[in-house]
Structure formats: C-alpha cells, structure tokens
Amino acid sequence: MIKDNIIQVENNIKNACKRAGRKPEDVTLIAVSKTKPVSMLTQAYESGCRHFGENKVQELVEKYEAMPKDIKWHMIGHLQRNKVKYIVDKVYLIHSVDSVRLAEEISKEALKKQLKVSVLVEVNVAEEESKFGISTKEAADLITEISKFPGISIKGLMTIAPYVENAEENRQYFMRLRQLSVDIMNKNIDNVSMDILSMGMTGDYQTAVEEGASYVRVGTGIFGEREYSHSQADRIGD
C-alpha cells in the first residue's frame, strides 16, 4: 500500500509541475512519519523515500537511531527551546523557527557542536489562532535579526495552511508565502536565501506545487490515517 501511495503522490507532483511549467526535480516529497512505526517508515524507505518529517523531538531521535543514516530528517513541528540540543546534529532542516529566542538556542547549540544548522522561518499566513508561526508583517524583521546569529543558515519559509475540503481555498496562502519569499529575497539580507518554500500537505499539496512549493509534507497520503484522533491545531503535515 505504502509503495503504491508514494507512486501516486509522485505522479500527482509531476502532473502539478507540468501544469505550472516546473521541473519535478525541483519539488521534494517529505514523508511525514509522525506516530508511525519504524516498520512503516522502512517500507517508505524501500520505496525510495529519503526525506522524513517528524513533529516531536523524542520520536525523531528514536527513529534517527533506528533508520538508515542516509535519511534526511525534517523537524516540522513546534520546537521547544529545551529540546533543541537533542536534534541539532540529527536534522537536515528545521522548518519551524518562529521566534528570536528559539533561533538563539539553535545558534547556541550549533556552535557547541560546530555545526551550521539550516532553518526555515514558519509564517502563519492565514493568521489562525491555533497555529504557531509569525505573521507575514513580522517575517522580514525576524529574519533580519536572526540572520546575524552564527551557526544558523536561513533557507526559506514554511507555512501550514488551514484545513479545508477544497484545496483551491488555500491557493491564496501559498501565493502569499511565495510573494513574501520574493520580497525578502529582494532585500539581499546576508546569510539568507529564499530557495525553499515548505508548503502543502495531503489535501492540498498539488495546489502548493502549482504555486511554487519546493517541499511538500505528506503523511496521510502515504501512510494512511493517523493512529490517534487529532485536533486541527496538531496538523503539521497531514
């Protein structure tokens, strides 16, 4: 099932790229594996997935130890400052930086381990109260401030769009994130690139790809329904 699901998602990405005049290789699929057992991750790995996303530090660490070392791990959930030290040397990319204090902590731990940690700034484009992330108005100022921190490299932006039945309703948010990335790129801030837009999940990733997503976070579309009932506030990569 998992292999078939991955093939379907990858085909959908290719078709969305074709509609948008994009190259499929410019879009990376992140298999969102939170709450899923290692056995299911192994199936996804054997089907070609090398990017996996987790939203809890403990789960990421446990799976990091259990899975092959060529996997690129993405921290896509809200990251508490006191947990940063456990993952800075294990993650390929942190998607959820939304405050100066969190960035300071990542910088501190990166310097201890002599690392350069790649991060995205999480933007709450739809301004939902239940979601983390900064507003579009605050994004440039935050990025300017944290760009000065050693040990951090800002690679782009991430957003979690609202839960909707019709993916078209979220196109506006994907367009706004892409425009924000262009605006920030035009500021030519040192240590900042806007190469990555992390946006789109199971219900709307095709629309996100049409609007410029470089990473899509797909969980349910690969692994099936989650193991627990969840609130909308917990939607990081469905």
Side-chain angles (χ1 to χ4, degrees):
M1 179 194 82
I2 288 174
K3 183 175 183 178
D4 291 342
N5 289 346
I6 290 169
I7 291 170
Q8 182 64 61
V9 171
E10 288 177 339
N11 284 337
N12 289 342
I13 289 171
K14 286 176 186 172
N15 289 333
C17 284
K18 193 172 182 180
R19 291 192 295 272
R22 301 183 63 200
K23 298 176 183 175
E25 56 266 32
D26 291 340
V27 181
T28 299
L29 171 62
I30 299 174
V32 176
S33 47
K34 58 183 181 176
T35 79
K36 300 302 180 187
V38 167
S39 59
M40 293 182 79
L41 273 70
T42 300
Q43 288 182 59
Y45 179 87
E46 290 172 350
S47 301
C49 282
R50 292 297 180 269
H51 291 260
F52 288 82
E54 292 288 333
N55 75 324
K56 294 198 185 316
V57 166
Q58 185 176 347
E59 255 193 284
L60 190 152
V61 170
E62 289 171 357
K63 291 172 180 175
Y64 175 91
E65 300 298 342
M67 295 290 291
K69 291 299 175 273
D70 61 336
I71 287 174
K72 293 176 177 175
W73 293 97
H74 297 255
M75 181 64 196
I76 59 176
H78 179 63
L79 180 57
Q80 294 172 298
R81 297 195 310 281
N82 63 350
K83 302 277 181 73
V84 168
K85 59 189 174 188
Y86 300 115
I87 63 160
V88 286
D89 57 346
K90 297 177 176 65
V91 291
Y92 175 72
L93 185 63
I94 296 172
H95 290 231
S96 47
V97 174
D98 61 358
S99 71
V100 172
R101 293 176 71 192
L102 175 58
E104 280 177 333
E105 191 65 27
I106 294 170
S107 173
K108 185 178 85 174
E109 294 297 333
L111 290 177
K112 280 184 188 176
K113 293 184 167 72
Q114 297 183 304
L115 298 168
K116 192 83 165 177
V117 180
S118 296
V119 305
L120 305 181
V121 168
E122 181 175 356
V123 184
N124 186 352
V125 181
E127 299 184 359
E128 292 184 279
E129 289 185 10
S130 62
K131 300 269 176 67
F132 291 104
I134 59 164
S135 71
T136 53
K137 293 174 185 173
E138 298 170 310
D141 288 343
L142 176 69
I143 286 169
T144 300
E145 187 165 356
I146 69 176
S147 68
K148 301 180 180 75
F149 295 167
I152 285 181
S153 182
I154 301 167
K155 300 293 188 183
L157 305 174
M158 182 269 246
T159 198
I160 302 166
Y163 179 74
V164 293
E165 296 295 331
N166 179 5
E168 276 300 314
E169 294 176 33
N170 281 339
R171 190 180 294 275
Q172 59 178 315
Y173 304 119
F174 301 144
M175 291 173 70
R176 283 168 62 189
L177 191 74
R178 182 181 61 179
Q179 185 57 54
L180 179 63
S181 76
V182 171
D183 294 344
I184 291 170
M185 183 176 65
N186 288 338
K187 292 179 184 291
N188 294 316
I189 306 166
D190 286 345
N191 192 33
V192 174
S193 71
M194 286 286 121
D195 295 337
I196 296 174
L197 288 180
S198 172
M199 59 188 193
M201 296 180 283
T202 292
D204 56 20
Y205 68 88
Q206 296 177 69
T207 305
V209 169
E210 291 171 3
E211 293 303 332
S214 39
Y215 284 113
V216 293
R217 311 180 302 270
V218 180
T220 305
I222 292 174
F223 297 106
E225 289 298 326
R226 258 192 258 149
E227 304 299 321
Y228 60 92
S229 61
H230 58 284
S231 66
Q232 287 190 23
D234 197 46
R235 291 179 70 255
I236 306 295
D238 273 349

